[in-house]
Amino acid sequence: MTMTPDNAQKHYLLDDMVRHVKELPTLPAIAQEMMSNLDDDNASLDSIIEKVSLDQSLTAKILRIANSSHYGVNSKVVTLQQAVSMLGLKNIKNLIRMTALIQNFPVAQCVGFDFTAFWRHSVSTAICAELISRTLHMKHDFAFTAGLLHDIGRLVLATRFPTEYAEALALRKECDMQLLDAERTILGTDHVAAGHALAEHWHFSEVITDAIQAHHDPQLHSSNSLARIIHVADAISHALDLSQSEDDLVPPLSQAAWDHIGLHEADYLAIFHETEMRFEAYDQIVT
Amino acid sequence: MLADDLLDKVGHVLLPVGTSLTEKMLQAISHHDIQQLSVVVEALSEDELELQKQQKLARVNHLFRLTGDSPPASTLKQYICDYRSKESS
């Protein structure tokens, strides 16, 4: 293939993106632990409380969640110990993952990037993926994390290429096209490639890395059930309008992924309802 | 609408039972550290429910505007429409 000036520019950007990904900060130790050791349920509550208590912002968020109406408590939760006991280890781990990621990506310089909508979408996809996974009797801790991280490449592009990514967002809006197409037109790459590069750099577990890479094309890792679940949960999150973004779009849905999951309408209606209910509580972290 | 008197810490009535809460009132009472209040949700009329349902379905159509008639997307869209319709009935 002849390298046109346009192609040369795009290839430069792709290389640049990978280089920039390598320059990203390492995750705080506690988040690194939560991201890579998903199977490790042995971490004691006490050791997690001890680590969390060193982070004021995380402590405040956990207390806010514990005091939210979703958990239906009448008396106020005032200590981290009470909050952790109430929310449970799994929810605490998820909060740590979310907070660590939010703190690592300052996206303010990217015009048009709606950070709140981004997180609403990530959190709702995570919740929905966990519920699908639970309905299918699969291990659902992976599903939540993969759902939370599936669009992480968007943060990479918005923080490392704010000008170009702002152009891609403007093009998407102006032409009312899918985000993936707008990213490829302007940057010559997309958030899937960026997310995959970051996942490898941060040593996410293989199953999560594959799910990030295949969330728009679940056939890419056809043996990875999690990728199919994230693909469908992503579409449901858009369809339920949970990002509250005015010009949101449901992305194309894979027939193979849909068929493989094979749930009935009654299952989906229950999943829609519970996703919305649980999302209200998590939404407080974002807003 | 308030289902009961809303009291402050020492028992003074901040807002009496039956008050229809407005944005302004919620702001005004926000510094009173209120833990809970009981409300009665006023039922919508049939016309209002129908209007609400049509607005929700129009929004679903907007969100699915680029998916075309592909089978899984149209099935998902139908499920979402069923879900939104039940919410408004």
Side-chain angles (χ1 to χ4, degrees):
Chain A
M1 185 181 79
T2 312
M3 186 75 81
T4 64
D6 273 359
N7 277 337
Q9 173 70 2
K10 285 170 185 173
H11 280 270
Y12 166 74
L13 284 173
L14 183 58
D15 289 345
D16 206 30
M17 179 189 76
V18 175
R19 185 169 59 79
H20 276 299
V21 164
K22 287 179 181 166
E23 288 168 5
L24 282 172
T26 51
L27 280 174
I30 184 165
Q32 187 98 46
E33 208 175 291
M34 299 296 158
M35 295 290 184
S36 53
N37 301 326
L38 290 173
D39 280 330
D40 180 16
D41 290 329
N42 298 324
S44 79
L45 220 52
D46 285 344
S47 74
I48 287 181
I49 289 170
E50 192 186 328
K51 287 173 187 167
V52 168
S53 63
L54 299 173
D55 186 327
Q56 286 179 330
S57 149
L58 185 57
T59 302
K61 278 175 184 141
I62 288 171
L63 289 173
R64 271 177 68 191
I65 291 286
N67 280 300
S68 75
S69 56
H70 177 74
Y71 289 93
V73 283
N74 287 324
S75 56
K76 197 158 186 170
V77 176
V78 289
T79 70
L80 196 54
Q81 282 78 0
Q82 286 174 320
V84 170
S85 308
M86 205 176 87
L87 295 171
L89 194 56
K90 195 189 79 180
N91 281 324
I92 293 296
K93 283 181 175 181
N94 287 333
L95 283 169
I96 293 169
R97 289 172 186 137
M98 290 160 70
T99 307
L101 292 172
I102 289 170
Q103 286 168 350
N104 272 281
F105 291 97
V107 292
Q109 288 180 338
C110 181
V111 177
F113 189 92
D114 185 341
F115 186 73
T116 305
F118 170 81
W119 275 106
R120 284 193 170 122
H121 174 64
S122 299
V123 170
S124 55
T125 303
I127 293 167
C128 184
E130 183 180 308
L131 293 169
I132 294 175
S133 197
R134 199 170 68 187
T135 310
L136 295 171
H137 305 291
M138 291 171 59
K139 190 172 171 62
H140 43 262
D141 198 14
F142 286 92
F144 187 97
T145 307
L148 189 67
L149 298 172
H150 77 285
D151 268 349
I152 190 82
R154 291 186 58 203
L155 289 183
V156 174
L157 297 176
T159 48
R160 297 295 146 177
F161 304 105
T163 309
E164 293 84 352
Y165 204 61
E167 270 181 59
L169 294 174
L171 177 69
R172 198 212 75 76
K173 193 169 182 151
E174 192 186 328
C175 299
D176 197 26
M177 64 205 293
Q178 295 289 353
L179 178 64
L180 216 53
D181 296 330
E183 289 170 349
R184 287 170 185 163
T185 303
I186 300 295
L187 291 149
T189 186
D190 55 43
H191 68 268
V192 173
H196 183 237
L198 181 74
E200 294 209 317
H201 176 60
W202 276 358
H203 306 294
F204 289 173
S205 65
E206 191 182 342
V207 68
I208 302 280
T209 303
D210 289 350
I212 290 171
Q213 192 185 23
H215 79 268
H216 280 296
D217 182 10
Q219 290 307 97
L220 192 65
H221 292 291
S222 55
S223 61
N224 184 337
S225 298
L226 189 59
R228 287 189 284 266
I229 289 172
I230 300 305
H231 175 76
V232 172
D234 178 38
I236 290 174
S237 163
H238 285 291
L240 287 174
D241 207 9
L242 292 174
S243 73
Q244 296 166 28
S245 173
E246 195 188 340
D247 57 356
D248 203 0
L249 274 171
V250 175
L253 196 50
S254 152
Q255 182 76 58
W258 182 263
D259 290 346
H260 192 272
I261 287 176
L263 294 176
H264 299 294
E265 179 169 8
D267 297 318
Y268 277 115
L269 296 192
I271 287 167
F272 298 162
H273 180 65
E274 201 170 338
T275 298
E276 289 190 328
M277 294 285 288
R278 286 184 49 195
F279 174 72
E280 275 183 42
Y282 274 98
D283 194 30
Q284 295 185 30
I285 300 170
V286 181
T287 52
Chain B
M1 186 191 291
L2 277 178
D4 211 344
D5 288 342
L6 179 64
L7 308 176
D8 66 11
K9 281 179 189 166
V10 289
H12 294 138
V13 177
L14 294 172
L15 291 169
V17 59
T19 302
S20 287
L21 293 169
T22 63
E23 203 57 48
K24 208 171 173 181
M25 285 178 193
L26 292 174
Q27 277 175 13
I29 62 174
S30 62
H31 62 280
H32 282 277
D33 195 27
I34 290 161
Q35 298 296 312
Q36 63 179 48
L37 50 79
S38 306
V39 294
V40 178
V41 179
E42 291 173 67
L44 295 176
S45 69
E46 275 190 27
D47 286 349
E48 285 170 326
L49 280 172
E50 183 57 28
L51 179 65
Q52 193 183 63
K53 179 177 156 184
Q54 292 310 322
Q55 286 169 340
K56 286 180 179 179
L57 296 181
R59 180 62 183 162
V60 174
N61 276 327
H62 182 69
L63 293 166
F64 279 86
R65 66 194 178 279
L66 293 189
T67 54
D69 296 326
S70 68
S74 54
T75 305
L76 175 60
K77 183 178 171 184
Q78 188 54 53
Y79 291 174
I80 296 279
C81 287
D82 292 348
Y83 176 65
R84 294 295 181 220
S85 298
K86 280 180 188 163
E87 271 181 339
S88 304
S89 60

